[in-house]
């Protein structure tokens, strides 16, 4: 897909749709893991896997943020039609991926038991949780390489093949779940092994595409997987703030979870089921956010101000419409959706309290994600990170420790009021930031055009 020409309204939808389906497939496969263990594994297997989720997210999200930097830079190189630069970015990205994988593998395999103990994981599930985490982190290089490779392909306008590879490996994941868990009785170890194998397949397919595809704008070359100072610095400059933001979001969720725990196991079950439903909404919003990064980045590389603004408008519009329709759907159909996960009436009532406030206000979240991603497409990463961290993480934690303890706010509904309040403040801050940064960027682009034009006229006079 050429993101610098043609209808942005049409192409951005075509770009986002496979990304959205890829995210939903990953969620469905994760659900299949839990369903398989819940029906055919030991009685503690689901709890053992669930106990690792926030910890794994906290450890891995920092490094997956580098894929955002790779996506922005490859999109800008694509817009500039600079193939040599793009191939340096691909080589630098793979080097970062390899180094990150080694570090994560060592940390995950050697320290998982200590992390689980520090989190106060119950004694009856900690051994199973440790088995799952250890095998998961043995396969972490495949997860890193797939996400980095998919980000590079998407930055060059290719969202279809990453989706197809994920679909194929996901089918293998489901099939191996039945084989390892039902037939071989491997329980959580079997689920972890299926994740390792399926992610290995998707990582191989993405890497093979970058190596061999004749249709891609730029390719991966083994000899170019090495240190490029400028490209490495830029990937880290853009990707590290995104990774820190994701990691701190995970940390704030840990604090939030501790508040939920104070209401008892029914509240934990109900809000946990709602979180799974909500993850399908957040994945859809993220698809349009990734589209904003790619289209704004490509047209920034092409120095096309009009298409930058048009890309921002349509991706924000689609993010708004998706979050509006999705939020209303879960608002009105919350109870039957929750019953897919849980049957306890008390747990369902807790889940409904959360789903009502989240569903009714989700459009705010959709807008702030797409707007901040458009700013990242221009190469700014620190500013949106700071705004999101202060507006969402810090304000939410302050709310939990100040207003939430008061009697009138000390309910699940009162706890989740922190979501729309923090979203609204953050959204306003992102709009102000976007206006300022877009204006500054366009001024710089105008100055470059004037300078280039003057140099060309001077060259003509000399000739």
């Amino acid at each position: 897909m050429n993101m610098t020409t043609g209808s942005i309204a049409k192409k951005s939808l075509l770009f986002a749709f496979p990304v959205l389906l890829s995210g939903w497939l990953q969620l469905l496969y994760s659900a299949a893991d839990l369903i398989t263990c819940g029906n055919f594994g030991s009685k503690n297997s689901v709890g053992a896997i669930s106990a690792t989720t926030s910890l794994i997210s906290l450890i891995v999200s920092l490094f997956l943020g580098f894929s955002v930097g790779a996506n922005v830079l490859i999109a800008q190189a694509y817009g500039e039609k600079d193939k040599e630069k793009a191939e340096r970015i691909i080589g630098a990205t793979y080097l970062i991926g390899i180094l990150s994988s080694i570090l994560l593998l060592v940390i995950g395999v050697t320290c998982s038991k200590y992390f689980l103990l520090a989190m106060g994981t119950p004694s009856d599930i900690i051994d199973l949780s440790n088995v799952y985490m250890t095998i998961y982190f043995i396969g972490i290089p495949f997860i890193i390489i797939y996400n980095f490779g998919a980000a590079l392909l998407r930055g060059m306008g290719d969202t279809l093949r990453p989706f197809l590879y994920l679909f194929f490996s996901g089918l293998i994941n489901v099939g191996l779940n039945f084989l390892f868990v039902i037939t071989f009785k491997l329980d959580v170890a079997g689920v972890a092994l299926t994740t390792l194998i399926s992610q290995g397949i998707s990582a191989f397919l993405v890497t093979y595409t970058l190596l061999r595809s004749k249709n891609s704008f730029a390719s991966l070359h083994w000899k170019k997987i090495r240190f490029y100072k400028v490209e490495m610095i830029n990937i880290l400059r853009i990707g590290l703030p995104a990774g820190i933001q994701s990691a701190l979001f995970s940390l704030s969720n840990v604090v939030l979870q501790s508040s939920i725990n104070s209401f008892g196991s029914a509240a934990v079950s109900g809000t946990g089921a709602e979180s799974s439903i909500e993850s399908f909404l957040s994945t859809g919003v993220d698809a349009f956010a990734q589209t904003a990064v790619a289209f704004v980045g490509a047209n920034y590389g092409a120095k096309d101000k009009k298409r930058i603004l048009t890309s921002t408008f349509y991706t924000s519009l689609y993010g708004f419409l998706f979050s509006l329709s999705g939020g209303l759907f879960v608002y009105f159909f919350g109870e039957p959706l929750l019953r897919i996960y849980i049957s306890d009436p008390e747990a369902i009532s807790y889940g409904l309290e959360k789903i009502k406030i989240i569903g009714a206000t989700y459009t705010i979240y959709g807008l702030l994600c797409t707007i901040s991603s458009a700013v990242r497409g221009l190469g700014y990463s620190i500013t949106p990170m700071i705004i999101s961290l202060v507006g969402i993480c810090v304000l939410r934690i302050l709310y939990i420790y100040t207003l939430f303890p008061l009697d009138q706010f000390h309910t699940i509904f009162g706890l989740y009021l922190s979501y729309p309040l923090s979203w609204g403040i953050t959204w306003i801050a992102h709009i102000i930031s976007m206006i300022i940064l877009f204006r500054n960027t366009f001024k710089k682009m105008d100055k470059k055009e004037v300078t280039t034009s003057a140099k060309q006229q001077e060259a003509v006079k000399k000739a």
Side-chain angles (χ1 to χ4, degrees):
M1 181 184 293
N2 189 339
M3 295 176 284
T4 59
T5 61
S7 170
I8 293 175
K10 179 181 178 181
K11 285 189 172 184
S12 58
L13 270 181
L14 293 174
F15 184 100
F17 191 60
V19 179
L20 184 149
L21 289 180
S22 296
W24 280 357
L25 276 174
Q26 287 180 312
L27 292 174
L28 288 171
Y29 297 145
S30 298
D33 289 348
L34 291 176
I35 291 169
T36 304
C37 272
N39 286 279
F40 303 103
S42 64
K43 68 174 185 178
N44 291 325
S45 58
V46 172
I49 295 171
S50 301
T52 68
T53 303
S54 59
L55 179 57
I56 289 173
S57 176
L58 183 60
I59 297 170
V60 175
S61 57
L62 175 64
F63 294 89
L64 287 182
F66 297 144
S67 66
V68 176
N71 183 273
V72 171
L73 292 176
I74 200 75
Q76 291 180 358
Y78 176 85
E80 296 167 358
K81 306 303 179 189
D82 191 335
K83 181 177 180 179
E84 181 60 32
K85 180 180 179 181
E87 292 186 344
R88 290 197 303 272
I89 293 168
I90 293 172
T93 300
Y94 263 74
L95 179 59
I96 292 174
I98 293 168
L99 296 176
S100 300
S101 298
I102 294 171
L103 180 60
L104 282 172
L105 190 152
V106 172
I107 292 173
V109 170
T110 60
C111 301
S112 60
K113 185 70 172 283
Y114 301 107
F115 290 145
L116 290 166
L117 285 169
M119 288 179 64
T121 305
S123 58
D124 56 345
I125 66 172
I126 192 167
D127 288 335
L128 284 175
S129 295
N130 185 47
V131 168
Y132 180 83
M133 274 194 70
T134 300
I135 298 174
Y136 183 94
F137 275 97
I138 290 173
I140 200 68
F142 301 136
I143 296 171
I144 293 289
I145 293 301
Y146 170 76
N147 280 280
F148 280 30
L152 291 167
L153 287 174
R154 289 167 185 154
M156 295 186 286
D158 184 357
T159 59
L160 181 60
R161 283 184 288 188
F163 162 70
L164 292 176
Y165 299 155
L166 189 65
F167 179 76
F168 175 68
S169 64
L171 291 177
I172 293 174
N173 181 300
V174 173
L176 289 178
N177 269 342
F178 287 107
L179 178 65
F180 289 162
V181 179
I182 299 174
T183 305
F184 296 155
K185 307 296 183 183
L186 294 178
D187 204 25
V188 298
V191 171
L193 283 171
T194 62
T195 301
L196 187 155
I197 294 169
S198 61
Q199 288 288 348
I201 292 169
S202 59
F204 168 78
L205 291 171
V206 163
T207 302
Y208 184 83
T209 298
L210 286 166
L211 280 168
R212 301 295 182 186
S213 179
K214 296 180 180 179
N215 298 323
S216 295
F217 164 65
S219 302
L220 170 65
H221 302 279
W222 293 120
K223 63 181 180 181
K224 291 187 177 181
I225 301 179
R226 57 189 181 88
F227 181 85
Y228 296 98
K229 182 178 179 180
V230 174
E231 283 73 21
M232 294 280 276
I233 290 173
N234 284 331
I235 290 171
L236 296 176
R237 176 179 60 83
I238 298 172
L240 188 58
I244 292 172
Q245 178 178 316
S246 297
L248 290 177
F249 277 178
S250 298
L251 188 61
S252 69
N253 287 335
V254 171
V255 175
L256 192 69
Q257 185 63 47
S258 66
S259 298
I260 296 170
N261 292 342
S262 67
F263 290 97
S265 59
V268 174
S269 297
T271 56
E274 190 282 337
S275 294
S276 181
I277 296 167
E278 185 186 334
S279 65
F280 284 88
L281 296 181
S282 63
T283 299
V285 169
D286 183 63
F288 293 106
Q290 290 189 45
T291 304
V293 169
F295 272 76
V296 171
N299 288 290
Y300 173 72
K303 303 296 185 290
D304 193 327
K305 292 182 287 186
K306 183 178 179 181
R307 289 184 68 85
I308 290 172
L309 292 172
T310 306
S311 298
T312 303
F313 171 77
Y314 277 109
T315 52
S316 298
L317 175 64
Y318 294 148
F320 168 79
L321 292 175
F322 175 86
S323 55
L324 175 64
S325 56
L328 290 176
F329 179 81
V330 300
Y331 182 90
F332 288 109
F333 296 96
E335 186 169 347
L337 289 172
L338 287 168
R339 288 189 182 278
I340 297 173
Y341 294 84
I342 49 178
S343 57
D344 178 26
E346 185 183 3
I348 290 172
S349 68
Y350 276 115
L352 281 174
E353 283 195 72
K354 181 183 176 186
I355 218 167
K356 293 294 184 183
I357 192 165
I358 298 299
T361 60
Y362 211 73
T363 51
I364 307 172
Y365 180 74
L367 284 171
L368 79 86
C369 280
T370 48
I371 289 172
S372 62
S373 294
V375 172
R376 282 196 176 92
L378 295 178
Y380 297 101
S381 190
I382 293 177
T383 301
M385 178 199 75
I386 292 172
I387 291 173
S388 293
L389 288 181
V390 174
I392 293 179
C393 295
V394 175
L395 286 181
R396 199 170 289 174
I397 292 172
L398 283 174
Y399 179 94
I400 290 170
Y401 286 109
T402 55
L403 292 178
F404 177 62
L406 302 177
D407 290 341
Q408 60 267 42
F409 291 102
H410 200 73
T411 63
I412 288 293
F413 188 85
L415 177 63
Y416 282 99
L417 273 176
S418 63
Y419 275 63
L421 289 174
S422 60
W423 287 342
I425 293 169
T426 307
W427 174 48
I428 293 170
H430 276 306
I431 289 176
I432 296 170
S433 167
M434 182 190 70
I435 292 170
I436 295 171
L437 293 177
F438 270 47
R439 188 175 294 167
N440 290 342
T441 299
F442 291 166
K443 285 181 180 179
K444 291 178 183 178
M445 290 169 66
D446 289 338
K447 287 181 181 179
K448 287 183 179 180
E449 287 179 8
V450 171
T451 302
T452 302
S453 177
K455 288 182 179 178
Q456 289 173 345
Q457 290 177 4
E458 186 67 26
V460 170
K461 289 179 180 178
K462 290 181 179 179

